[in-house]
Amino acid sequence: MCGIVGYIGPKSLDSFLIVGLKKLEYRGYDSAGIAIIDKNELVVRKSTGKIVDLEKLIENDKFDGHVGIGHTRWATHGAPTKINAHPHTNQAQTIAVVHNGIIENYTNLKKDLINEGYIFISDTDTEIIAHLIEKYLKTEKNFENAFYQTILLLEGKFAIAAVSEFEPEKIFFVKDGAPLIIARNTTVKESFLASDLPALVPIAKESCYLENKQWGYMNNTDFKLYNWNHEPVKLQFILIDLKIEQFEKGKYEHFMLKEIHEQPSMIRRILANRIKDGIISFNEFKVGDEKLKKIGRILIQASGTSLIAGKLGKMYLENNSRIYTEADFSSEFRYRNPLVEGDTMVVGISQSGETADTIAGIHEAKSKFLRVISFVNNVNSSMARESDGIIDLLAGPEIGVASTKAYTAQLVNLFLFSLYLGRLNGNLSETELERNLKELMTIPEKIEKILNNIDPIIKIAEFLKDQKDTIFLGRTFNYPTSLEGSLKLKEISYIHASAYAAGEFKHGPIALVSENLPVILTVPNSEIRPKILSNLMEVKARLGKIITIVTEGDQEIIDLSDYHITIPDIEESLSPLLAIIPLQLLAYYTALFKGCNVDKPRNLAKSVTVE
Ligand code: AGP
């Protein structure tokens, strides 16, 4: 997944392009570049590495153009080299394009163009776009038509921006399957485009999220938008009401640490928004209670951390609303032709709302005429627009590639939704509702207590940073906790981490235990505590290093642990909301002590908009 920016206006181009790209760097950071129309001439600068490397490259350039595009890359086709960095141009270097997504039919298109004598220099799919525009310029009467004929040929998912010497005052754009926002500040006559809002806050004042198969162009005062039949489409701008502080690290060294510490206030905000006088409501939800009452089965589909939240969502929904629920990887769900009935509802969960696999899962559900609701952190995202109903996570922007607050926001919203459905279909008593809500209200303060006692976590991170392998174990509600704790550790510290349902461990994986192998067990107060205690003893008998997430005061477990982190006592089903906090921090400090790039881990991107 990559980041695209575009700017037309009186400001120094490179300043917006570079600043905008830095704010989108979480979308991809293996190479970057800009294309500027400078005194009617196309100038392209690009480099491998971070945006700062590009910034250094252009520090002595004196551009005075006011039309330009930029790109930060997460490599899909072609290694992260300077040649493969965007923007890509036609041979004459009069057209430059940047692209997020994948052109699935690029091989055939490239072959045809090579046969017609076009010379390619990169291994990317993107380069064909610039050559196709040049080719169509020979037959079409203007750049607009040449751009249109080009995009009609493309298959796959893409967001593209193009500048050229043929239309030096315009940026052309198209959106189909990857996010693209156009924006403006009419006071100073500026027009913008970007893959995501962080690049636009605070200088753009109004934004318009493009729909799939919309394209057009912009100059510094006007926008033209068309549908796929080249018919004009009315533009609707909305005010951007986000603050720049939401996209800045503030007093924290990393976005990930900031977002971990934001969780108590975030959960308070969600609870205040969702619960009024003991009544749960989802105001943004557009699916009526009568329809919800008829839901007999729920299929949850999501990816990564969001699927792990979905696994807990399954347990919450079956516990509290007694509705049969499954949770599956989007990338599996979309191909397995799931058994469905008329009363089946599909639930998508996604922080970005742009994960290609999860969007494809929605398309699969729609092909079976199923109702789809999505839990998303961006209510303007592609997923939000393609769902029958949405539940806003209310997590606020999450910039760190490793998801933290979005995960706990997903859990809180899924838990509330399970209570709401349980009351609606009569499977949850008023007393049970009150008891659950009362327990839920204690979460923010209990998370704060964990956040205020990080020394034991730092001590364990000092030990973990030198390890090659780790194992996470948990049962029932905390099996997903182990999955999420292991995902956090591996994706930012690059230490191998496996997670198992603790009861399964003795059926094979326990062979992995050797002396000093760190085994991290989540073992809060619960009915199954004795069973996890047996798993702990099985590991101890084989000289594994015992690290536990344990309820404060549980001296028996503490005495058996080599290291332990305590969490406040809480109802078992809600313990994942507490147990994950030390595991988020453990991953953070371990990665920090290893010198890893916590906010931008290698090989990853914040939202995977390719399949
Ligand atoms: C989580 O830390 C990862 N960055 C990744 O697994 C992520 O959860 C997954 O790609 C899904 O993203 P989404 O929630 O935006 O759909």
Side-chain angles (χ1 to χ4, degrees), residues 460 463-464 469-474 478 481-483 485-486 489 497-500 502 505 517-523 532 536 539 545-549 563 565 579 582-583 586-587 590:
I460 299 168
F463 160 65
L464 274 188
D469 292 297
T470 58
I471 284 178
F472 288 71
L473 299 178
N478 285 298
T481 303
S482 298
L483 289 169
S486 78
L489 185 67
S498 309
Y500 302 94
F505 197 47
L517 175 81
V519 178
I520 299 161
L521 300 100
T522 300
V523 50
I532 288 243
L536 185 155
V539 173
K545 190 70 86 176
I546 303 291
I547 301 168
T548 53
I549 311 296
Y563 298 94
I565 304 161
L583 298 181
L586 196 51
T590 303

Side-chain angles (χ1 to χ4, degrees), residues 1-14:
M1 183 223 36
C2 307
I4 293 176
V5 291
Y7 176 78
I8 303 180
K11 287 198 180 69
S12 81
L13 255 177
D14 41 328

Side-chain angles (χ1 to χ4, degrees), residues 104 157 301 328-338 356-365 368 610-611:
E104 290 171 351
K157 298 199 180 331
Q301 57 102 18
D328 200 356
F329 297 108
S330 299
S331 52
E332 292 294 311
F333 171 79
R334 57 180 293 204
Y335 297 115
R336 67 177 171 85
N337 191 18
D357 286 324
T358 310
I359 292 171
I362 288 180
H363 293 162
E364 168 72 6
K368 295 179 184 302
V610 293
E611 296 174 69

Side-chain angles (χ1 to χ4, degrees), residues 256 302-308 330 349-356 358 375-377 383 393 398 400-404 406-407 410 484 487-488 491-492 601 604-609:
M256 183 179 177
S303 305
T305 287
S306 297
L307 173 70
I308 295 169
S330 299
I349 305 173
S350 175
Q351 188 285 129
S352 62
E354 299 297 345
T355 297
T358 310
F375 289 68
V376 289
N377 203 27
M383 263 177 74
L393 296 182
E398 183 180 72
V401 165
S403 190
T404 49
Y407 176 68
Q410 287 164 351
E484 177 57 11
L487 177 58
K488 289 288 92 65
E491 71 175 328
I492 64 172
L604 294 184
K606 182 59 185 169
S607 160
V608 183
T609 56

Side-chain angles (χ1 to χ4, degrees), residues 223-493:
F223 294 78
K224 270 275 180 291
L225 194 59
Y226 301 108
N227 63 19
W228 224 235
N229 300 321
H230 205 166
E231 294 154 346
V233 171
K234 192 170 171 343
L235 267 158
Q236 255 131 16
F237 282 96
I238 51 172
L239 276 178
I240 297 175
D241 64 357
L242 289 163
K243 303 268 174 300
I244 183 69
E245 295 73 34
Q246 291 177 278
F247 299 103
E248 292 181 334
K249 289 182 274 199
K251 66 181 180 181
Y252 296 97
E253 189 181 351
H254 297 101
F255 280 109
M256 183 179 177
L257 189 61
K258 174 188 173 194
E259 287 150 9
I260 290 171
H261 283 267
E262 279 179 339
Q263 292 175 107
S265 57
M266 174 197 76
I267 294 173
R268 284 194 181 96
R269 183 172 68 240
I270 295 169
L271 297 177
N273 179 290
R274 297 270 184 247
I275 306 166
K276 302 263 189 310
D277 306 326
I279 308 287
I280 301 170
S281 64
F282 295 91
N283 306 320
E284 71 279 22
F285 196 56
K286 298 279 179 293
V287 177
D289 284 355
E290 285 319 304
K291 293 196 176 90
L292 284 179
K293 269 184 191 159
K294 297 188 186 111
I295 298 295
R297 282 184 75 208
I298 295 175
L299 301 180
I300 296 174
Q301 57 102 18
S303 305
T305 287
S306 297
L307 173 70
I308 295 169
K311 287 176 178 294
L312 262 167
K314 163 193 163 60
M315 300 163 94
Y316 291 155
L317 286 160
E318 291 191 338
N319 260 24
N320 298 325
S321 57
R322 308 307 297 156
I323 297 175
Y324 174 77
T325 304
E326 282 181 58
D328 200 356
F329 297 108
S330 299
S331 52
E332 292 294 311
F333 171 79
R334 57 180 293 204
Y335 297 115
R336 67 177 171 85
N337 191 18
L339 284 178
V340 296
E341 313 287 336
D343 64 353
T344 301
M345 176 169 74
V346 170
V347 170
I349 305 173
S350 175
Q351 188 285 129
S352 62
E354 299 297 345
T355 297
D357 286 324
T358 310
I359 292 171
I362 288 180
H363 293 162
E364 168 72 6
K366 295 264 182 192
S367 71
K368 295 179 184 302
F369 307 104
L370 298 176
R371 188 172 309 293
V372 174
I373 70 163
S374 289
F375 289 68
V376 289
N377 203 27
N378 177 346
V379 294
N380 295 299
S381 59
S382 306
M383 263 177 74
R385 289 207 290 272
E386 300 197 30
S387 302
D388 300 301
I390 57 168
I391 287 180
D392 185 352
L393 296 182
L394 300 172
E398 183 180 72
I399 308 298
V401 165
S403 190
T404 49
K405 65 173 184 172
Y407 176 68
T408 47
Q410 287 164 351
L411 298 187
V412 171
N413 279 292
L414 284 162
F415 187 75
L416 287 169
F417 189 63
S418 72
L419 298 176
Y420 183 88
L421 282 184
R423 286 298 295 138
L424 205 55
N425 63 22
N427 286 318
L428 185 80
S429 70
E430 185 60 32
T431 322
E432 269 304 284
L433 173 67
E434 281 163 19
R435 186 184 64 76
N436 277 295
L437 289 183
K438 191 161 166 283
E439 195 74 346
L440 191 56
M441 290 298 179
T442 67
I443 291 280
E445 194 181 337
K446 289 177 176 174
I447 291 179
E448 277 164 347
K449 191 170 178 186
I450 298 167
L451 293 173
N452 290 333
N453 177 29
I454 62 166
D455 292 349
I457 298 168
I458 289 183
K459 196 159 149 252
I460 299 168
E462 288 288 1
F463 160 65
L464 274 188
K465 71 180 189 328
D466 303 319
Q467 303 304 311
K468 293 272 172 291
D469 292 297
T470 58
I471 284 178
F472 288 71
L473 299 178
R475 282 184 184 246
T476 64
F477 291 99
N478 285 298
Y479 167 46
T481 303
S482 298
L483 289 169
E484 177 57 11
S486 78
L487 177 58
K488 289 288 92 65
L489 185 67
K490 60 188 143 198
E491 71 175 328
I492 64 172
S493 75

